[in-house]
Amino acid sequence: MVGHAEQVGENRFRERFGRYFEDFEVGHVYEHRPGRTITETDNTWFTLLTMNTHPLHFDAEYAKHSEFGKPIVASPFTVALMSGMSVSDVSQKAIANLGWSDIKLTFPLFVGDTLTAESEVLSKRESKSRPTAGIVTVRTSGFNQDGKTVCTYERTILVARRGSDAEEKAGY
């Protein structure tokens, strides 16, 4: 169970999220919900915050003359949003992200599109250097509202074993 409430006292419950290393199984697919409809503000602010000066992301007149006919969502925003969507399922109990690889942007995402994502567990193994953790690799895929794949990537995460993470020790 990814999210659940645990009784921590009389008539008192605390919400818990995430999977420990032991909870991952190779081949399992986690659907990340809710989805997120991209707004013009999201796309414009992301391009400004990251100093992305390509007008295809924020200049409607420029984009009108491109093959897309309108601005496209900045691809790093798509990756970041998919990563954020996956936290409660994949990395809520993470100690560290170890890397992203094989990022593919397979279809443009536009303002007004709704992005959903899912992650498939590709592998898991115990950490050789940290007995309180394991290493999990997932492939995350993002889809628009029509089911078209807009992005895929692999992510490797160092995940706490049950009973060993800071969140649990801090009473969260």
Side-chain angles (χ1 to χ4, degrees):
M1 183 182 296
V2 176
H4 68 281
E6 182 177 299
Q7 189 162 1
V8 294
E10 186 176 338
N11 298 322
R12 204 167 183 76
F13 298 84
R14 184 173 297 141
E15 194 171 31
R16 305 263 188 197
F17 288 96
R19 287 183 170 79
Y20 289 100
F21 174 72
E22 296 87 348
D23 299 325
F24 288 92
E25 290 191 38
V26 173
H28 278 193
V29 175
Y30 309 125
E31 294 183 0
H32 312 306
R33 298 297 184 272
R36 177 74 151 61
T37 302
I38 310 300
T39 68
E40 185 173 3
T41 301
D42 295 329
N43 193 44
T44 301
W45 272 107
F46 190 87
T47 60
L48 290 170
L49 288 169
T50 58
M51 298 177 65
N52 182 339
T53 59
H54 198 298
L56 188 56
H57 302 303
F58 56 83
D59 184 332
E61 186 61 27
Y62 177 93
K64 181 168 61 173
H65 301 285
S66 74
E67 67 183 275
F68 305 108
K70 57 186 174 180
I72 61 173
V73 172
S75 53
F77 180 56
T78 303
V79 173
L81 189 53
M82 289 168 54
S83 181
M85 292 170 121
S86 73
V87 167
S88 65
D89 286 320
V90 174
S91 59
Q92 188 77 38
K93 305 290 187 197
I95 297 165
N97 283 302
L98 301 178
W100 281 265
S101 65
D102 204 24
I103 297 171
K104 293 182 177 153
L105 301 154
T106 54
F107 194 80
L109 192 62
F110 300 99
V111 167
D113 283 349
T114 298
L115 180 68
T116 58
E118 65 183 33
S119 295
E120 178 183 1
V121 180
L122 301 178
S123 66
K124 71 180 256 188
R125 68 171 177 84
E126 295 182 12
S127 171
K128 294 175 182 145
S129 62
R130 294 186 183 217
T132 60
I135 297 172
V136 177
T137 300
V138 298
R139 178 184 306 110
T140 300
S141 302
F143 310 94
N144 70 10
Q145 66 281 353
D146 298 321
K148 292 190 184 221
T149 303
V150 299
C151 179
T152 61
Y153 62 82
E154 291 184 13
R155 179 163 63 136
T156 302
I157 311 147
L158 184 66
V159 181
R161 288 181 161 284
R162 190 169 272 105
S164 63
D165 69 322
E167 180 179 277
E168 192 170 273
K169 290 176 183 174
Y172 285 93

